[in-house]
Every structure is written in C-alpha cells, then in structure tokens.
Amino acid sequence: MVYFDNAATSFPKPDGVYDSIMKAMKEYGANPGRSGHKLALRLGREIFETRELLAKLFNIKNPMNLIFTFNCTESLNIGIKGILNTGDHVITTSMEHNSVLRPLKVLEKEGIELTIVKGDYAGRINPKDIEKSIKKNTKLIVTTHISNLTGTIMPIEQIGRIARDNGIYYLVDAAQSAGVYHIDVEKLNIDMLAFPGHKGLLGPQGTGGLYIREGIEVKELNQGGTGSISHLLEQPDILPDRYESGTPNGPGIVGLGAGVKYILQEGLDTIRKYEEELTKHFIEEIVKIENVKVYGPLDIKEQGAVVSINIGDEDSSEISYILDENYDIEVRPGLHCAPMAHKTIETFSQGVVRFSFGPFNTHDEIELGIKAIKEISKEL
C-alpha cells in the first residue's frame, strides 16, 4: 500500500509514538491533574513535557500559554470565537479550510463583519490585499500557513507585520505546516497559533493545540472540572487550565510528545528538505503527462508537500477509486473541506485528486504514483 494522504493524517508514525502511547496506557494511565498519587503525577509530568517540547519547536516563551485541544478545528474555534465580539471586523482569505470559514460564517450572522480576500489561480494571497481590507473595527486576521488544496505557502511573516503595525490580532492555521516548516511565533508576529497533532507533528488523532500570546483575552468555549481551584464555581482564569476543562487525552498527548521528539532529533530542515525533494520529483514528472491538469504554484519554494491534479474532465472520486482499487494507492478526492478554495482555482464542480507526501514516503513510491497516473490517463 502506498499512502499519499498525509495532509489528512500522517501515516505511519515513528515507532516511538506507538510505543509511548502503549506505555502510557499500560503503565500510568491515570487521570492527570486530578488525583495526587504517583500514576496521576507521572502522566501530568509527561503532558507538561510535551507542552515544553512544543514551546521549544514554536519558540513560545511560556509553555503555559500553549493549551491542548482535541484537534486543530477546536483550536481555531477557540481562537476565532474567543476573540471576536459583535461589531468587530475580521479578515480572512478564500484559501481557508472550513474550520476557519464555518465559524466565521456563524459569527457573521451574529453581527461580526467579515472580509474574505481572494487568492489567485495558484492559491497565492497578496498581503497588500489584506492591508487594503483593514477597517477601524478590524480586530482579527486569520489565515492558513499552507493551503490544504494547492499546497501554496502563504506570506505569514508579511501578514503578521501588517497585523502588528495596525494593532490587529493574527491567528495562523498551521494544520499543514506544523512539524515541517519553521514557525517562530515571535519572529512571525503570531498572536495565536492553531495546530493539529496528527499531521506534520506525527502524533495520534485526537490531539492538537492553540498558542495564545501573553496578555490576550480569549474567552473559553467550555467550562468544567480542571483539577484546580475546585472550591470555586467559576472557571479558573489561569492558563492552561482555563481552556482545558475535562479529562485530557493523556496517552495521545504523550504520543504527540514522542512525535515532536522525533522531529527535533531528525531536524526540521532535514524533514522539510526531504519532503521538498519528493514534491519536486512528483511535480516534474506529473506535468509531462498528457491530459493531466496540475494546480498550485508548482514550485517547492512556494509549495508544501501537497499536489492536486485532475485527469481531463473525469470526476476526482472516480480517479481516486481506481488508484485505490487497482494500484493500492491512497489519495483524497473531492473538495477537501475547502469549497471556497476550489472556487478560487476553478475546480469546484470537479474537485481534485490530492497527493500529499510525508517523511516516510519514498522516491520509489513517487514513481509508482506517476506510473499509475500515466496508465489511467491513457485508458481514459
């Protein structure tokens, strides 16, 4: 089986991830932050270690400003709904995932003003278009770092500078970049960073996080037990407890920590360079195939390890089915929870077949994918 669906969930994981999850479940699977016995304390320490590892990866000064969530969608909902109030204006782009656009559309009905800056045919966003959209009541700019459709790398440093110069908060969706690309929240002027654990960070599903810059008031979405200040009926206002009500996914967070350890040991530059080589290999060969349409910048300096294609006018789901059934190649077809991005690159009616590569793919697998597309293209 050849797995080219890493933009949805990276697979496989490093062996250390599987081992650490199993160990956490079997040896100290108690409830962290609640009980005071040694099993609970050990899991609490392991969770804090993961918090510290992520803080190191993203250059977060205080690990307590990083909260754990169950996925990037939850992180984005907290960041968006926790910062905006009726009468505020927010700017986003047409290349966003529904995890950004759907919460914003809900808030729009409740009195939030929304501007969506359109990308070009390759999914690029011009920072000047964002700057031109700023109003007196603009409170938040939210953009993806890398498009999950075209792989386009967004100019988040320039956007962050625009936000900082205008006193506007900046929320970055790092669903496709965390664990592969350098993200320095200080250098990039990122006020909030949302990320999943199960993609580039090589952790399990059911893990994610949100960084909140010191001093920013973000309303929590949930209230409940935190194991802290339990004598009060009000939600504690200390971080990270304010945003982490209920029992956390302890074994999952430990597994996420193992994924981050692997990344730090291998080196972010090493992982990114290898994924760039795979992407370049695929792009260089796939553009030569007759009747194949390839989307995005088609340049590894502007594009992550995500390449979307179509074969003629064939339905993307049909191509994906053939790849799965006849070649045992796993990809993702359709609209990828990004309908506005598809409208931007004019693939809304057809969808696309998305190939997304990870650190455990090989050049031999890339060749198998290219061979399959060649054969399918000839047959159709």
Side-chain angles (χ1 to χ4, degrees):
M1 187 269 291
V2 177
Y3 186 82
F4 288 148
D5 196 20
N6 290 277
T9 290
S10 60
F11 179 82
K13 314 293 183 182
D15 288 340
V17 172
Y18 302 121
D19 294 341
S20 65
I21 294 171
M22 182 64 72
K23 188 174 183 179
M25 289 292 293
K26 294 179 70 174
E27 295 186 14
Y28 51 97
N31 204 316
R34 272 67 176 174
S35 303
H37 53 70
K38 56 181 172 291
L39 294 186
L41 292 174
R42 181 175 177 186
L43 185 52
R45 286 193 297 269
E46 295 285 345
I47 288 174
F48 185 72
E49 182 182 352
T50 299
R51 211 185 299 272
E52 288 184 311
L53 288 166
L54 287 163
K56 179 179 180 181
L57 186 67
F58 299 133
N59 191 29
I60 295 169
K61 293 180 179 178
N62 183 359
M64 305 305 274
N65 286 343
L66 191 152
I67 66 172
F68 288 117
T69 62
F70 291 103
N71 47 56
C72 193
T73 298
E74 183 185 8
S75 301
L76 288 164
N77 270 267
I78 294 171
I80 290 169
K81 295 176 181 176
I83 206 79
L84 293 171
N85 298 300
T86 300
D88 289 336
H89 175 237
V90 57
I91 301 170
T92 191
T93 82
S94 67
M95 296 307 295
E96 305 306 313
H97 191 276
N98 276 343
S99 296
V100 168
L101 293 172
R102 283 180 173 173
L104 289 176
K105 295 303 286 187
V106 167
L107 291 179
E108 189 177 31
K109 295 176 183 177
E110 300 174 2
I112 300 296
E113 192 178 354
L114 172 62
T115 296
I116 300 175
V117 173
K118 188 175 181 181
D120 66 13
Y121 187 69
R124 301 184 188 94
I125 297 295
N126 188 339
K128 292 182 180 179
D129 292 335
I130 290 178
E131 191 168 24
K132 290 175 185 176
S133 301
I134 294 174
K135 301 181 180 183
K136 289 183 179 179
N137 61 331
T138 304
K139 190 173 185 180
L140 177 69
I141 298 171
V142 51
T143 74
T144 188
H145 187 182
I146 294 179
S147 167
N148 75 313
L149 172 60
T150 59
T152 308
I153 302 172
M154 304 301 171
I156 63 170
E157 184 170 4
Q158 294 95 308
I159 298 171
R161 193 176 304 120
I162 290 169
R164 186 59 49 85
D165 290 346
N166 288 274
I168 299 166
Y169 296 129
Y170 186 31
L171 167 59
V172 173
D173 173 4
Q176 300 300 331
S177 59
V180 182
Y181 289 79
H182 284 286
I183 301 175
D184 184 327
V185 296
E186 296 295 329
K187 179 182 177 183
L188 299 175
N189 296 313
I190 296 172
D191 295 298
M192 293 181 286
L193 180 74
F195 58 90
H198 65 100
K199 299 187 183 186
L201 291 172
L202 305 176
Q205 295 173 350
T207 60
L210 176 68
Y211 159 71
I212 302 173
R213 186 182 292 279
E214 191 82 41
I216 297 179
E217 175 59 27
V218 179
K219 299 186 296 289
E220 73 277 4
L221 297 188
N222 300 310
Q223 295 82 33
T226 60
S228 59
I229 318 180
S230 296
H231 63 287
L232 296 180
L233 296 181
E234 290 77 22
Q235 186 76 0
D237 59 3
I238 58 173
L239 270 69
D241 299 29
R242 179 177 179 179
Y243 306 97
E244 293 184 353
S245 292
T247 299
N249 179 6
I253 294 171
V254 171
L256 172 58
V260 177
K261 283 181 184 176
Y262 176 88
I263 291 165
L264 293 173
Q265 289 167 359
E266 293 294 313
L268 209 62
D269 291 331
T270 300
I271 292 171
R272 187 188 67 256
K273 183 179 178 182
Y274 182 66
E275 290 192 8
E276 286 177 347
E277 290 170 355
L278 294 173
T279 306
K280 182 180 180 182
H281 182 177
F282 186 76
I283 289 173
E284 286 180 346
E285 296 302 319
I286 210 76
V287 295
K288 299 175 184 177
I289 304 174
E290 188 177 355
N291 207 30
V292 172
K293 295 177 282 187
V294 191
Y295 305 94
L298 307 184
D299 181 346
I300 59 169
K301 297 306 177 186
E302 296 185 71
Q303 185 167 347
V306 175
V307 184
S308 292
I309 73 166
N310 273 315
I311 299 179
D313 296 323
E314 295 293 327
D315 184 83
S316 58
S317 295
E318 179 65 21
I319 302 301
S320 174
Y321 177 79
I322 295 170
L323 285 168
D324 186 17
E325 288 297 307
N326 295 354
Y327 296 92
D328 211 11
I329 294 174
E330 319 303 326
V331 295
R332 183 177 172 187
L335 296 182
H336 309 86
C337 300
M340 187 167 283
H342 276 273
K343 290 179 180 178
T344 300
I345 68 169
E346 300 178 4
T347 55
F348 183 74
S349 60
Q350 188 179 11
V352 301
V353 182
R354 185 183 71 185
F355 291 73
S356 50
F357 314 119
F360 298 109
N361 286 126
T362 67
H363 284 280
D364 286 342
E365 290 177 333
I366 296 291
E367 283 295 330
L368 288 172
I370 293 164
K371 179 176 180 288
I373 293 299
K374 285 179 179 178
E375 292 177 358
I376 296 169
S377 179
K378 285 182 181 179
E379 291 177 7
L380 297 177

